[in-house]
Amino acid sequence: MYQPDSMSSEERRAAASLASVFAFRMLGLFMVLPVLATYGQDLAGATPLLIGMAIGAYGLTQAFLQIPFGMLSDRIGRKPVIIGGLILFALGGLVAGQADSMLGVLAGRILQGAGAIAAAIMALVADLTRDQHRTKAMAMIGMSIGLSFAVAMVVGPLIAGAAGLAGVFYSTSLLALVGIALVALVVPSPQQAQHHRDAGVARGAFLPALRNADLLRLNYGIAVLHALLMACFVALPLALQEHAGLPREQHWWVYLAGLLLSFIGMVPLIIYAERRRRMKRVVLGAILLLALTQLLMWLSMNSLAALVVAVVLFFTAFNVLEATLPSMLSKIAPAGSKGTAMGIYSTSQFAGAALGGVLGGAVYGSFGLGGVFVCCALLAISWLAIGATMDEPPYVTSYRLAVDPTLVRDEALLRRVLDVPGVAEAIIVAEEAAAYIKVDTQVLDREQLDRVLHPV
């Protein structure tokens, strides 16, 4: 179970190639954020509301299709769903790139979001990696998403400056084609699709996850976080251009400076949260910082230096929360329900992005740029009030461990697993010949647990 062996060459190839597919797709989605508000004004029919809707529109179809596409991949296979989603994403980029009106761009963004492949990719990772190495593979994908966001903030304005908004959208289609090539030629094919409760939705766990108050707080939080991101990018690029006097072609260096400095600031906070077991304190502090940065943007729109400081602080808070919230979900979700909880969490994230774009555009049209920042601050404060009621999460790690097939029907097995020091929760899934457990690694007796699951 806890074999010291390293990942096999096929596992490394699967993890690296799937992380690249995820990164190329997210890069295509994120590149539009820093440029659509400024370059979109040149399109026919552009209004603040339509610009905001176009910024967040991909989240609408993502939210509706994320879980269904994941379940479809259980039936027809992972690769067909992933390739089909990337084709939709590429077509959406072409539609938006050829559009000469904001409505055309909106249609393209909605089509891009229809390529909801995250759940299928996660399931394919589970199919292609052994239990003891799955966390490493998932971590590679998580890092690829963070890197794609950072690159997109810089590359998006550079491409827009050279080739216009259409060039940005055509680039997203090209990235999707690269992803298709990777899936077809590089990503290994699994021998068979397997259902993993830590990577996919379990029907019996769906309603309990929706009723779990701790998970609901996280779902609200991730929805607010991405609503703030979309609404902020309705207003921030315009504040830099129209109030601080920075030409839109030069916005890239603001985002580059903000992201580089924010990464330096976030690392010690995440280490402190995990190692000192002070995650609640760090999360609430980051939410408060989000609210304060929005107020700083509102009060200092005419100062480029102050806006740069606000961008650094905003990205620091955003990146800390983007990294710690999934970790909290993994700790809070009941054993065997992490995949279901993550599916609902991702749906909430994309729904928040869609609502944030609409909210940012509507508020900007009615109350101006300052109104958007004030609205974002109020949203963050509402999250802070809800988050303050949460408990410190249990500091546990989730594992899916193979069980001796001759023991899966033994009714006493679960009790013996729970009696192992350090095991907090456990369920036995006979159909998978697997145990889903949550353990405190600081006190876990690994050898005893191994003996229980695989007696000699």
Side-chain angles (χ1 to χ4, degrees), residues 396-418:
V396 293
T397 302
S398 298
Y399 290 113
R400 178 188 183 273
L401 304 173
V403 178
D404 188 326
T406 63
L407 297 177
V408 293
R409 304 293 179 183
D410 184 350
E411 295 181 358
L413 176 61
L414 179 59
R415 176 181 54 77
R416 294 197 297 271
V417 171
L418 291 171

Side-chain angles (χ1 to χ4, degrees), residues 91-158:
L91 290 175
L94 292 176
V95 169
Q98 293 175 354
D100 56 6
S101 70
M102 186 52 66
L103 284 176
V105 169
L106 178 59
R109 290 286 278 173
I110 291 173
L111 186 55
Q112 282 187 317
I117 58 173
I121 289 179
M122 294 301 184
L124 185 52
V125 170
D127 291 339
L128 294 172
T129 55
R130 288 168 290 168
D131 294 329
Q132 65 266 33
H133 298 306
R134 193 158 300 126
T135 300
K136 301 175 192 175
M138 296 295 187
M140 290 176 66
I141 289 178
M143 288 188 291
S144 75
I145 296 172
L147 180 62
S148 67
F149 180 78
V151 172
M153 292 298 101
V154 177
V155 172
L158 289 174

Side-chain angles (χ1 to χ4, degrees), residues 158-207:
L158 289 174
I159 294 176
L165 186 59
V168 176
F169 283 117
Y170 291 141
S171 298
T172 67
S173 296
L174 180 60
L175 289 169
L177 295 178
V178 174
I180 291 171
L182 284 173
V183 174
L185 303 175
V186 181
V187 176
S189 296
Q191 294 181 351
Q192 63 179 7
Q194 302 178 22
H195 185 71
H196 299 266
R197 286 171 171 250
D198 280 350
V201 174
R203 295 179 186 274
F206 194 79
L207 287 178

